[in-house]
Amino acid sequence: MKPTVLIATTARWIPTARLVVALENAGFTTDAVCPSHHPLGKTGAVRKIYKYRGLDALASFADAIAASKPDLIVPGDDLAAQQLHLLYEQENNKGKAGEAVCALIARSLGAPENFPFLYARAKFIQLAQDEGIRVPATGIIRDAGDLEKWITGTDFPMVLKADGSSGGDGVRVVRTIEDAKRALRGLQAPPLLARAAKRALIDGDPTLVWPSLLRRRSVVSAQTFIAGREATIAVVCWKGEVLASLQFEVINKVASSGHATVLRLIENPEMSAASEKIARRLNLSGVHGFDFMLESQTGDAYLLEINPRLTQVGHLTLGPGRDIPAALFSAVSGQALCPAPKVTEESTIALFPQEWIRDPASPFLQSAYHDVPWDKPELIRACVRARRKQRAWYSQQNRVQALSVARLPRT
């Protein structure tokens, strides 16, 4: 029988839908627990969809696991990964009654005792440094006093990062002490309820809802700034061993601290060695991502952080050693590895719909391999409709803002 993989996601991200298709093509039966109207429902690749309830998240995942009886769980975003870790703790406290769920989560994600390293940026960087991996100097910043002490020992610019953030949301590059203090206050503060509501209702991403409602303050760390080129590696691991990986240099981004939209395939031995050391040290299983900076002058690779879930390139099949879905299927099923045909011979890839959303007139849509799922027309239509809805919302907000300004008393 074909093994079943359960995609667990809290956000309506297109890359999750792309991975579902790739996993089905690799041989899996795919189920999903996700918010309503998720684009993965437009792929035709999902056997059963279970509803994710943001206000009862752990029960949503537990119910889906009980109904699907999967052989593997793949988290589609950071919040989903964190909630699966919390579900492990909850089930572990039940003793024998929770053993099956705990075993499934550990099999899918790796050693539970190492879960805390995946969220604490400073703690993770220290672990990487202990493994002999090149990393930027990093420290926890609790208050303005810590910040001033840190600044005396480093040069501007510097980077401030909030634990638990993703996609560049919780990252600030600062160039003066005033910028640093302002950024620290913003990163530590709970998300505004209006921002959380917009993210949940318009973007389909409820990540900020609970931190906003609970007024949860973030832990902030500081890192020395490494001037260079951003790079990323997506890996599939099994019991601490890296089975396949995709390495890219970032060519274009949606914003200075946002997600990548255009990438160039590379092969960097230092990045490979670092990801293998971390996978072995944390005994990782499943799909993970690592972010690096390739220093301009030396080309040295500095490990910046880990993403404990799939990244937006996980669906790309680029030949032996670069086919994450095929490697994952082989590990779970015990069958021989059978990579899919390469989707392109091009080294530069424009991600769809990310680069199209960033700039519909981007030259990369013509010069690079444009990763459009032409065999999934309903998914393409869903992407277009989502973009139009988002654009209409922003246009309405701009009109409201303009009217508000126009009504201000003139002096």
Side-chain angles (χ1 to χ4, degrees):
M1 295 179 64
K2 297 200 305 183
T4 298
V5 60
L6 176 67
I7 303 296
T9 184
T10 71
R12 298 183 183 93
W13 288 357
I14 298 296
T16 312
R18 303 300 302 274
L19 185 72
V20 164
V21 176
L23 290 172
E24 188 207 32
N25 291 340
F28 283 102
T29 295
T30 59
D31 290 345
V33 51
C34 61
S36 58
H37 308 297
H38 195 290
L40 61 79
K42 302 297 183 180
T43 64
V46 185
R47 179 183 66 175
K48 178 72 174 178
I49 295 177
Y50 304 93
K51 186 175 180 180
Y52 171 77
R53 304 182 300 275
L55 297 180
D56 197 13
L58 301 194
S60 297
F61 285 172
D63 291 345
I65 290 169
S68 174
K69 296 179 174 58
D71 299 285
L72 190 77
I73 307 174
V74 173
D77 56 84
D78 293 271
L79 182 58
Q82 186 175 13
Q83 289 175 348
L84 286 170
H85 296 161
L86 292 173
L87 180 60
Y88 177 92
E89 292 181 12
Q90 175 182 286
E91 296 300 308
N92 192 46
N93 290 333
K94 295 180 180 179
K96 190 173 181 62
E99 285 181 356
V101 172
C102 289
L104 173 64
I105 293 174
R107 183 171 189 251
S108 302
L109 307 181
E113 64 270 20
N114 294 323
F115 289 167
F117 287 102
L118 305 178
Y119 302 102
R121 295 179 188 268
K123 191 174 182 179
F124 171 75
I125 290 297
Q126 183 59 58
L127 177 143
Q129 189 172 25
D130 292 344
E131 292 293 314
I133 297 170
R134 195 188 310 275
V135 295
T138 303
I140 294 177
I141 306 298
R142 297 175 181 81
D143 51 35
D146 283 350
L147 182 62
E148 290 175 357
K149 290 178 183 177
W150 176 268
I151 289 171
T152 60
T154 189
D155 296 324
F156 285 107
M158 57 181 282
V159 185
L160 294 177
K161 298 181 176 182
D163 284 2
S165 61
S166 63
D169 266 352
V171 179
R172 302 288 185 274
V173 178
V174 296
R175 290 173 170 79
T176 67
I177 189 169
E178 292 78 15
D179 286 346
K181 289 181 177 179
R182 185 163 49 249
L184 177 63
R185 290 193 297 270
L187 292 173
Q188 286 182 327
L192 295 173
L193 186 58
R195 179 179 173 226
K198 179 265 168 188
R199 282 274 293 272
L201 297 175
I202 304 302
D203 300 333
D205 179 3
T207 307
L208 301 180
V209 172
W210 276 116
S212 178
L213 292 175
L214 298 176
R215 311 308 297 157
R216 186 177 298 155
R217 295 176 66 82
S218 299
V219 175
V220 176
S221 60
Q223 282 187 345
T224 55
F225 180 81
I226 307 297
R229 309 180 309 280
E230 294 181 50
T232 182
I233 178 170
V235 300
V236 58
C237 310
W238 198 249
K239 299 179 181 178
E241 179 187 358
V242 174
L243 306 179
S245 65
L246 291 165
Q247 299 182 28
F248 294 96
E249 181 182 336
V250 176
I251 303 300
N252 220 343
K253 301 176 66 178
V254 68
S256 60
S257 61
H259 59 263
T261 59
V262 181
L263 303 154
R264 184 171 67 240
L265 188 67
I266 62 173
E267 193 66 42
N268 185 294
E270 193 172 5
M271 289 171 57
S272 297
S275 62
E276 289 168 1
K277 286 180 179 179
I278 294 296
R280 184 168 54 250
R281 171 63 177 80
L282 296 180
N283 197 17
L284 297 178
S285 287
V287 182
H288 300 267
F290 299 91
D291 293 335
F292 291 82
M293 187 66 74
L294 305 179
E295 191 176 35
S296 297
Q297 294 184 345
T298 64
D300 290 340
Y302 284 79
L303 176 60
L304 303 181
E305 60 186 50
I306 184 173
N307 301 299
R309 40 80 181 173
L310 72 89
T311 66
Q312 58 182 349
V313 300
H315 66 284
L316 294 169
T317 55
L318 297 175
R322 293 173 171 171
D323 188 331
I324 285 175
L328 192 60
F329 178 80
S330 177
V332 175
S333 67
Q335 298 182 28
L337 179 62
C338 186
K342 295 175 68 174
V343 295
T344 181
E345 295 293 338
E346 296 282 345
S347 60
T348 303
I349 296 174
L351 297 174
F352 177 86
Q354 293 91 317
E355 179 64 4
W356 170 73
I357 290 174
R358 189 196 68 81
D359 180 9
S362 168
F364 288 108
L365 302 183
Q366 301 296 326
S367 63
Y369 170 71
H370 192 196
D371 181 38
V372 183
W374 295 114
D375 60 334
K376 300 295 179 183
E378 286 301 316
L379 179 58
I380 297 175
R381 293 189 186 100
C383 294
V384 174
R385 285 194 297 268
R387 174 56 176 160
R388 286 174 178 168
K389 180 180 177 181
Q390 187 180 54
R391 186 181 299 160
W393 188 88
Y394 279 115
S395 297
Q396 178 65 24
Q397 290 300 106
N398 290 337
R399 283 195 294 270
V400 170
Q401 186 176 21
L403 286 171
S404 300
V405 172
R407 290 170 180 168
L408 289 174
R410 299 183 183 277
T411 58

